[in-house]
Amino acid sequence: MVVGETVDGGGRDALGPERLVWMYTQMYRIRQFEERVKSTFTEHPGTIRGHTHLADGAEASIVGCIATLAPGDQVLSSYRCHGYPIALGSDTKLMMAEIYGKATGLCGGLGGSMHLYDPARGFLGGSGIVGQHLPHAAGAAWAAQIRRRGEVVVCFFGDGASKQGAFHESLNIASLWKLPVVYVMENNRYNASTRSDQEDANAAAGEPLSTKATAYSMEGTTVDGGDPVAVHATMVEALARARAGEGPTLVESLVYRLSAHGNLIAPPGVPLHYPEHEAIAIFGNRAEYESALRGDPVPRFRHRLVTDGVLGASDADALEAAAREEIDESQRFALDSRLPEPDSGLAYVYA
Amino acid sequence: MVVGETVDGGGRDALGPERLVWMYTQMYRIRQFEERVKSTFTEHPGTIRGHTHLADGAEASIVGCIATLAPGDQVLSSYRCHGYPIALGSDTKLMMAEIYGKATGLCGGLGGSMHLYDPARGFLGGSGIVGQHLPHAAGAAWAAQIRRRGEVVVCFFGDGASKQGAFHESLNIASLWKLPVVYVMENNRYNASTRSDQEDANAAAGEPLSTKATAYSMEGTTVDGGDPVAVHATMVEALARARAGEGPTLVESLVYRLSAHGNLIAPPGVPLHYPEHEAIAIFGNRAEYESALRGDPVPRFRHRLVTDGVLGASDADALEAAAREEIDESQRFALDSRLPEPDSGLAYVYA
Amino acid sequence: MSHVIPYVAAIHEAIREEMDRDERVLYFGQNMATSPDDPFLQAFGPDRVRVTPISETAEIGMATGAAMAGYRPVVELYMAEFTLVAADQVVNEGSRFHFMSRGAVSVPMVMVAGYGFTCGWAGQHTGSLYGMFMGVPGLKVAMPSTPADAKGLMTTAIRDDNPVLYFHHYLLLLTEGEVPDGEHAVPFGVADVKREGSDLTIVATGHTVHTALAAAETLARRGVSVEVIDPRTIAPLDVDTILASVARTGHLVLVDQATRHASVAAVVAAEVAELGFSSLEAPISMVTALDSSIAYSQPVEDYVLPDEHKVVTAVEKTLGLAPVPA
Amino acid sequence: MSHVIPYVAAIHEAIREEMDRDERVLYFGQNMATSPDDPFLQAFGPDRVRVTPISETAEIGMATGAAMAGYRPVVELYMAEFTLVAADQVVNEGSRFHFMSRGAVSVPMVMVAGYGFTCGWAGQHTGSLYGMFMGVPGLKVAMPSTPADAKGLMTTAIRDDNPVLYFHHYLLLLTEGEVPDGEHAVPFGVADVKREGSDLTIVATGHTVHTALAAAETLARRGVSVEVIDPRTIAPLDVDTILASVARTGHLVLVDQATRHASVAAVVAAEVAELGFSSLEAPISMVTALDSSIAYSQPVEDYVLPDEHKVVTAVEKTLGLAPVPA
Ligand SMILES: Cc1ncc(C[n+]2csc(CCOP(=O)(O)OP(=O)(O)O)c2C)c(N)n1
Ligand SMILES: Cc1ncc(C[n+]2csc(CCOP(=O)(O)OP(=O)(O)O)c2C)c(N)n1
Ligand SMILES: [Mg+2]
Ligand SMILES: [Mg+2]
């Protein structure tokens, strides 16, 4: 199996009605999946361990990006990594089972929520150490450059990660070598419980974070990450540039996460759950959070497709019901699966 | 002894004739010192060990910067660190003895050429790992900010160092916190035997490296580092901004080193020496090197002072003779000093 | 007199008291003091308490620079792994400067990080990396196992004139324990005998101290008397207390959450194999993590970690006792 | 048949031959291949041979990414300390991915670095840091002491499907030695007995193998027969060969350029104290660097390092021989 062989973004197709509905379907599937992960904490306490991070609020951005990809392309991300493989075609049963730590999981329960891998679909994994996967993307892009098949690597990361040295080192080389990589910063305005303007000199100065591209003589642009069509258009340009050997792009995609950074962090014994969003819990800024909720990209896109006549309301209901059923089924699969054998990791320490 | 108490840059004084002559004197002293270090390899083989890096070609930049400092200010640098303490008033006898590994050296022979320290004169040392002292400077500047005495930290580093993650992380925080620090990049166009345009995306795109400041919403400027007066003027502005709490500046100072990156690197037994400059040795570009030699800032500044009537030719000769005598004396002192006791390091492992 | 508080509160109590006592003490790091009602911010103000970007190299490096310039910074790093992106700043900068400058500068700073969060944090966040740092000249490493030591070692760390890596254990954060009232400083390089015993010596650190104590309790019920020693700082390492104990017991079991070749256990075993050889009546036994990354899923995670049963088995084997059927 | 070449040439010979053999092998790093007449560039072209900026995190990380995408990168890092600015990439990324993905990805890459340049390179460039990396699951660590091993271990490193840290020794670069002609691969995890002997076993790595051999020669003149073992890879570590030797000699001295608590010596001592205890007739003795940074000036540098005299003294003590007056 060649890495990325079965990437299913359909990126070489035009954005007709069918593709738009496909995009909405993926957004809705991701949201369903995330909500199910979240509700597991209350409905099946103890099933999910450690730290999970949800993509709710970022679905439009994720799908707008993935929809531009074609077979052979590759994707890397941070620990906030549930959305990409879903859009790339990974099996949500295996994903949920992984998050539930089951033997049937995508990685047999060895990886967990932060470390999904599905290389056959082009997903090279989520790294848990902030910023450290940006050079991996550059390396994969170097491989793509040498292979000369016009393949591109897309690397997703957070606004906070752009303060890590790895960001700087990677973007300089990517630009210098004109690597076929697109760096997509999902700027959700927070690094955990720190607001961007408390940690980023551009943000503090009221400038977009895509300004950073200047330091690498690289294209940089900011897009409304709540609008999958706008994201798609931006990415089509960035990918064309990359495929043509004209070098990388830094895309700042403005999103807002609708859940807290992650579930509560605590030693065993303390029940894990999702606290309130930091805007409220730390900064007492309910207005900011509620305005973000009102802009929720999933209903927003549905409304648009229905209004534009691209998608009938009942068709929308039907695809949503199908997605819910899929995720019901994924959850059942995950719940019913057994835990891995205790010694099952030892075979994978070395290749 | 308070750190930086005796810094001797005279930075609060205007740049009258006396200060200009002081500047030329320091430039000449540094050059003499460096030439003596270099000739030691042939005249006293085996005396200098390990790796030395010379500042020849950068004297105008060094002195133009240091001349803006005042008591309480602090300086940090890379391993290419002979010039700064000389301009700050450190005793060249102790410096030469350190480079010769003697017990009488500035650091008792424990530090060596790459690690000079003279905190009483504000010199907080040279770090040998590229880029890693940039955060130290930000930390010292945080201390200065808290002390509220208007003190400033100046951090010297190479163009190559700006590709290290530490550069990025430090400049972001420095700008965000409006730290009183000036980052002086001595752009000598090479990282060892790599040309800037082979490793820097800005350089490859034909843009100045001070462009990088944009990524931190920070002031950035490029200056002719061969002209001490131009450097001085740029630094006066940068320091005023820093002292006023308006934040840091990235100053790109264009210089050209007149020696190879450092002496030959070899295991014991192979005589160390300075090979030809990389422009010639690696790239066969003798023209580039010779044009740099013709622009040598030391004679260039002498010529200007003499032409402008600031310094009489015989006064210039006299001060040069005095500097040569000083360095003769420093070298004699260093040669005559004994090596340290073998166990003399153990007392300094822990404070 | 004493008070009962959780381990994590003991750490903060020490930092707060030292900040009260000495205005040169600074406290900073990621995701702290972001809101105006943060208690440290309120007590000590934004000069001395700051949130940083996700920039560990800058954070640790700034602690180094501020220390050289006369302050005593405490940098909060959260998980031990996050030091890895800045390992040069941990082992090859501040820890060398006093030496290289022949004492002209010193670098009093504390790097605070937690380790060993083995409850589903998976491969990149659960490491027991302390062994990497224990042989670095100029650097001290503290590893408290109780609230009292957590406070006392932090107090000492802040007062020490060298860089100190302070590793708390994530699984212990909420464990309550008695902490002496008033000033409480635990000296570095002095191991603590957490339980006295005469048949066998166990040396353990951090969370595994409690594993060892549980094993000792189980064994006591069978008439086996186990001494449990917690070095508390692994640099400096109090070899003398361990040697004295082994001289009495003749038997040594080492328990360590790290993998075998990255463990404090191996270093202690080596010291005793050289300096306490004549006391040993049986092979030294090491109960460490198996040579594997830590998995996400609980059975696989559990499998590779030291636990009470493995410790009891090692003790039985070392003393030549018949195992008790489970 | 064999040919005589310096250690550094042997390293390059292996890289070149593997690049010839397998076009997926890439070679890159700082300050290499900057001029068009660089031999690697000429042989393999700019796709596969590249100079990088001073960006170790990106360099190692890119090797990881290129490896996940099907290539076999060799990244030249120069001095071992330069890995520290990117230690997360060395120990907490590529080395975990095969495990965390349950084998879905693998990361065949070689990180080449030199260490221990103790000839005046002072505090930050002379470290013997390998001990930090020897207990990291998923990572292999090679440390050749001869040109033949330098070539053979590099060949194996490039063919291995895991991340390999390849530590050459700076002081050995120009040492000449015989290298077998043709393909030459030295297996990982197989120690080499560099000299046979029956009275005492010395285990040493890298440059100290030669120190040990010199001491063995000196001692042979006094009728003492010393076996010298070089593990060649410290991860995996061939404990069996060491145990078998100690079973014959009953005595063990360990020589290591690292400080005591950062040494391979301590790990070997621990293994033998557990698994070879009954063979030991005397305490294990460790000859390591003293607990200090390395100074610039020669007498101070020499003082803290292991040398032939210290090894001879340790052997005498271990065997209970009267020291020969100097
Ligand atoms: C090097 C490192 N430092 C700190 C952390 C802890 N951490 C995990 S996620 C996170 C916030 C990251 O923010 P951002 O990059 O904006 O991504 P987001 O979570 O908002 O998607 C932090 C600080 C880490 N994992 N790695
Ligand atoms: C992290 C790290 N990587 C590599 C090196 C090796 N090295 C020493 S100096 C140097 C070149 C630095 O170039 P630049 O920053 O331009 O400074 P210059 O020497 O030109 O003054 C390199 C690569 C190092 N010391 N540290
Ligand atoms: Mg964010
Ligand atoms: Mg340079």
Side-chain angles (χ1 to χ4, degrees), chain A residues 79-80 158-161 186-192 196 257:
Chain A
Y79 46 85
R80 195 179 295 285
D159 48 290
E186 290 174 347
N187 181 354
N188 59 15
R189 308 199 216 167
Y190 287 87
N191 134 25
S196 269
R257 64 171 153 69

Side-chain angles (χ1 to χ4, degrees), chain B residues 117 127 132 136 145 148 351, chain C residues 47 50 58 89 93 97 162:
Chain B
Y117 290 86
S127 175
Q132 298 304 306
H136 305 157
Q145 186 178 57
R148 289 193 170 66
Chain C
D47 266 5
R50 290 193 186 175
Q89 292 290 347
E93 303 289 330
F97 291 172
N162 300 283

Side-chain angles (χ1 to χ4, degrees), chain C residues 58-71:
Chain C
E59 294 167 57
I60 303 175
M62 287 177 70
T64 305
M68 284 200 282
Y71 287 82

